[in-house]
Amino acid sequence: MKKIIFATSVSILLSACGGGSSDPTPTPVPVPENNSAPVASAVTITDVNGGETWAGDILSGEYSYADAESDAEGVTTFRWLVDGNVVSTTESYTLTKAEAGKSITFDVTAVATTGTKLGQAVTSEVAIKRDLHFFTANTLTLSNQLFVTDGTEAGTVNLEVTLPNNPGKPVKLGDKWYFASFNSDSRASFVTATDGTIAGTKEFSEGPKVSTPYAFTPFKGELYFSGSDAEHGAELWKTDGTEAGTKMFFETDAGSSGAPAMLTVAGDQMYFSAYQGTEGRTLWVTNGVDTTESFHKWEWNTVSDIKSLFGFNDSLYFVDPYRGKLWKTDGTSAGTAKLDLERQSIHAHGFIAMGDNFFFIDSTGGSNASVWVSDGITNTLLRETDSTKGDTDGLTVFNDKVYFTSEQELYEATPTLAKKVDLSASNLASGFLKPNNFSVFNNKLIFSASHTGTQNHEFFQYDGTAVSLIKDITGDSNSSSPAHFTLLNNEIIFSADDKIAGRELWKTDGTEAGTALLKDIKEGVSSSYPNLSFDDSEK
């Protein structure tokens, strides 16, 4: 606020007669006084998830406002910048996978309502850790070992633990990942935590000894999973990341085993299937606090093999193959109903959301595989595949369309239409067949495929107009069969067999020159068979 000081000027006029009079009323004279700009101080970045800063964490910007003249705060401005580019103008920001390994700056410019309104920008910066990806591989002496990589050779490490059959991929909570490791002494698997280092990978040794854990699922700041202890069969457990905070959450079948499976979060609730006495396997729902109940029982005692739980727009969708229908529920018996589908849907799978719709594949026995779209009410058949010409697979969202393989060729779909991709503009000596292993990177659709008339399965990309070969890894008619394309620290890691090092771990930046062997885990021509997409079968 600019303050004005009024100064009064008085003039005395002496006359010959000794009298005098004053000047007319003086005019106020503004005298400017410096007004300080508002100040943002103590600018900091807080990781809401706690601990170190990783991709996927929520960051909160904090600051203090001050003004020497007590001018009130106006609309202070905020900016989050990565590599000099503004990524958000709010007080909080959720880090993306593409920002792993970079630094992020929180920029605050204090603004006052009056006086000198605009202050100087004040910043705070934090480093984002390089993301980690866990995978299994075979060493010279052991199989099914858990490895971790940050996309560098030095950062690709054997964590020296063995996984059980059908292992669950480590799931992150705070600064650690949780999974089941196999203890060769007791011949059982137990809850294990890792920070991505050998020294920081340890089985929980105190507190409850939870065996055969699987289906780790984040829900409301904790991890839920199925597991057993000395007194109970498989029931629903949860952990906050500490041994003291690891406890049974709910016992679905006292004195027996509820065997919770397919834990799935939809909206503010988590769903799972579990046994309860003679009811067979039923659907359950919990809010994670005080309500856990079975809400959908079947009309007969035969165990129903519920499949393909999928959360979309706060509702759960699932398949009941015994009735051959796709169902929708809000977690109540009254809110559970069959969706209107033209035919039975025994093997609906591959659910993927795009905007206000979700897509899925239905490979019901006796019928050809088909691609469907649904808005949660109306279901529309988009594509029927001739089963004699190949499978339907790989639903992947790219540039506001869903891409998939049908009859060994590349197709694209919108909510109203599915059609074969026009590749006439592609710079290929011949066409290609069997596209699979879809991923999205650098605004391109990445996949592997075979040249027409050959079995040379190699590495391609589609930019929305044309397909081009990234690299023929073997360099001859042999196939490297690249697979498991996984985005990690702004590169793609994958497995491939160059016929020299065997099937090993590779990486690419999307160029031929930038596609190279990342690490030869099992040296020589033998293969370590890295599996980058392993998951448990009960999820």
Side-chain angles (χ1 to χ4, degrees), residues 333-383:
S333 296
T336 303
K338 293 178 287 186
L339 267 68
D340 181 22
L341 213 60
E342 295 177 10
R343 68 184 190 197
Q344 285 191 326
S345 182
I346 296 177
H347 299 297
H349 63 282
F351 292 86
I352 187 169
M354 185 179 76
D356 296 328
N357 299 276
F358 65 86
F359 296 71
F360 63 95
I361 297 169
D362 180 21
S363 54
T364 297
S367 300
N368 296 326
S370 53
V371 176
W372 294 73
V373 64
S374 176
D375 60 5
I377 301 174
T378 303
N379 306 281
T380 304
L381 176 63
L382 291 175
R383 167 74 185 167

Side-chain angles (χ1 to χ4, degrees), residues 354-428:
M354 185 179 76
D356 296 328
N357 299 276
F358 65 86
F359 296 71
F360 63 95
I361 297 169
D362 180 21
S363 54
T364 297
S367 300
N368 296 326
S370 53
V371 176
W372 294 73
V373 64
S374 176
D375 60 5
I377 301 174
T378 303
N379 306 281
T380 304
L381 176 63
L382 291 175
R383 167 74 185 167
E384 190 87 49
T385 299
D386 184 342
S387 59
T388 65
K389 296 182 179 180
D391 295 332
T392 297
D393 198 13
L395 298 184
T396 303
V397 175
F398 170 61
N399 281 354
D400 298 323
K401 295 179 181 177
V402 171
Y403 287 80
F404 59 95
T405 300
S406 180
E407 298 178 5
Q408 301 190 57
E409 297 190 274
L410 185 63
Y411 274 74
E412 64 184 16
T414 66
T416 58
L417 177 68
K419 64 179 182 178
K420 182 179 174 180
V421 175
D422 180 8
L423 298 177
S424 59
S426 300
N427 184 24
L428 296 173

Side-chain angles (χ1 to χ4, degrees), residues 125-339:
E125 184 177 12
V126 296
I128 307 167
K129 290 185 68 67
R130 288 180 62 83
D131 206 359
L132 301 179
H133 186 78
F134 296 87
F135 64 98
T136 63
N138 302 333
T139 64
L140 290 172
T141 57
L142 295 170
S143 61
N144 217 27
Q145 295 285 285
L146 181 63
F147 280 74
V148 65
T149 184
D150 66 356
T152 66
E153 183 177 10
T156 303
V157 178
N158 183 355
L159 294 179
E160 300 181 0
V161 293
T162 301
L163 300 181
N165 293 329
N166 298 320
K169 185 179 295 182
V171 177
K172 191 170 184 291
L173 179 68
D175 279 347
K176 294 185 178 180
W177 288 258
Y178 298 82
F179 62 101
S181 67
F182 182 75
N183 187 310
S184 59
D185 294 330
S186 60
R187 307 299 298 174
S189 58
F190 298 97
V191 176
T192 305
T194 182
D195 61 2
T197 67
I198 297 174
T201 303
K202 297 179 181 179
E203 180 185 308
F204 278 7
S205 58
E206 300 177 4
K209 196 76 170 177
V210 186
S211 64
T212 323
Y214 60 87
F216 286 91
T217 303
F219 180 53
K220 296 188 175 180
E222 295 179 295
L223 285 182
Y224 289 73
F225 60 97
S226 180
S228 307
D229 66 1
E231 299 178 1
H232 307 86
E235 296 294 352
L236 187 62
W237 288 68
K238 72 174 182 177
T239 182
D240 62 1
T242 67
E243 293 172 346
T246 302
K247 57 187 177 181
M248 184 183 292
F249 175 71
F250 187 74
E251 187 175 13
T252 56
D253 197 1
S256 186
S257 177
M262 295 181 286
L263 279 61
T264 303
V265 176
D268 198 42
Q269 301 182 113
M270 184 179 72
Y271 298 81
F272 59 97
S273 67
Y275 294 106
Q276 186 180 45
T278 60
E279 298 290 347
R281 185 172 284 278
T282 66
L283 273 177
W284 296 70
V285 64
T286 179
N287 62 13
V289 181
D290 55 9
T291 302
T292 304
E293 58 185 353
S294 173
F295 69 89
H296 190 62
K297 298 180 176 66
W298 311 110
E299 297 173 357
W300 56 88
N301 291 333
T302 303
V303 175
S304 182
D305 188 15
I306 304 166
K307 293 180 180 291
S308 303
L309 274 63
F310 171 68
F312 179 71
N313 284 354
D314 296 340
S315 294
L316 180 79
Y317 296 81
F318 63 96
V319 175
D320 167 20
Y322 282 87
R323 294 186 179 185
K325 290 294 181 181
L326 182 65
W327 292 64
K328 174 183 179 180
T329 183
D330 63 2
T332 66
S333 296
T336 303
K338 293 178 287 186
L339 267 68

